[in-house]
Amino acid sequence: MDAALLDRCTHTVDRIHRLLLSIPEPEQRERADGWSVPEVVGHLVDSAGNNHQRVCRYVPGGELTFPAYDQREFVSRAGYNSFEWPVLITLWHSYNLLLLHMFARIPDDRLLSSTVAIGGSEPISLNRLIGDYYTHMEIHEAQIRRIVGV
């Protein structure tokens, strides 16, 4: 994995972890029909779980297809609002430390030659999948910052 990408990913996880630890009352929502902070973090746990499976199952030099998932249904089924906040933070952080470890172990040639297609979309390389995963995380980091006003 490119050192610059690994560094960006590591900093993103560390920064979001510090943000989450600083939120004493995470029940706020951006809007009445939107997710609470625990639901946003739970969605990020779901995303980590999906990407963990994608990386575990990729076909070296080939393409693997995964179904899309209903993120609202996943969040609803998990009931993240009633899950213990400190445990949810630890789960998210630990899962992302594992992913960083896994991503760093993928041989460079496989990052570009192995592709993943999700929910009928065009196949993308593992390298792009990883970059997109952290961009997605940063989008939700901005959402959490708006919700809690920091």
Side-chain angles (χ1 to χ4, degrees):
M1 177 181 220
D2 175 70
L5 178 59
L6 182 59
D7 189 51
R8 171 191 164 214
C9 299
T10 301
H11 286 306
T12 299
V13 169
D14 290 344
R15 186 180 62 246
I16 294 173
H17 186 233
R18 285 191 308 275
L19 170 64
L20 298 177
L21 291 172
S22 75
I23 304 172
E25 297 179 26
E27 294 77 22
Q28 309 101 302
R29 296 173 186 274
E30 192 168 18
R31 49 183 208 276
D33 64 340
W35 283 338
S36 65
V37 174
E39 288 172 322
V40 173
V41 174
H43 165 65
L44 292 174
V45 168
D46 295 339
S47 182
N50 278 293
N51 282 293
H52 175 261
Q53 286 300 304
R54 292 167 184 154
V55 170
C56 282
R57 297 172 187 270
Y58 81 88
V59 178
E63 179 183 314
L64 191 59
T65 302
F66 287 90
Y69 69 100
D70 183 340
Q71 57 191 14
R72 293 202 173 277
E73 188 63 29
F74 273 40
V75 167
S76 174
R77 287 180 184 174
Y80 291 116
N81 273 332
S82 60
F83 195 69
E84 194 175 334
W85 178 236
V87 176
L88 185 59
I89 294 170
T90 300
L91 174 61
W92 174 85
H93 187 237
S94 297
Y95 218 155
N96 278 282
L97 293 177
L98 173 62
L99 287 175
L100 285 168
H101 173 76
M102 291 174 67
F103 293 162
R105 294 174 46 82
I106 300 171
D108 287 344
D109 64 317
R110 291 184 182 173
L111 284 169
L112 297 174
S113 67
S114 305
T115 62
V116 175
I118 302 165
S121 65
E122 289 294 315
I124 60 172
S125 68
L126 286 179
N127 197 61
R128 178 162 169 213
L129 176 82
I130 293 167
D132 288 355
Y133 174 67
Y134 287 94
T135 297
H136 172 252
M137 197 181 297
E138 290 166 338
I139 289 167
H140 286 294
E141 173 190 13
Q143 178 186 20
I144 292 167
R145 288 184 184 282
R146 285 192 309 271
I147 291 170
V148 299
V150 295

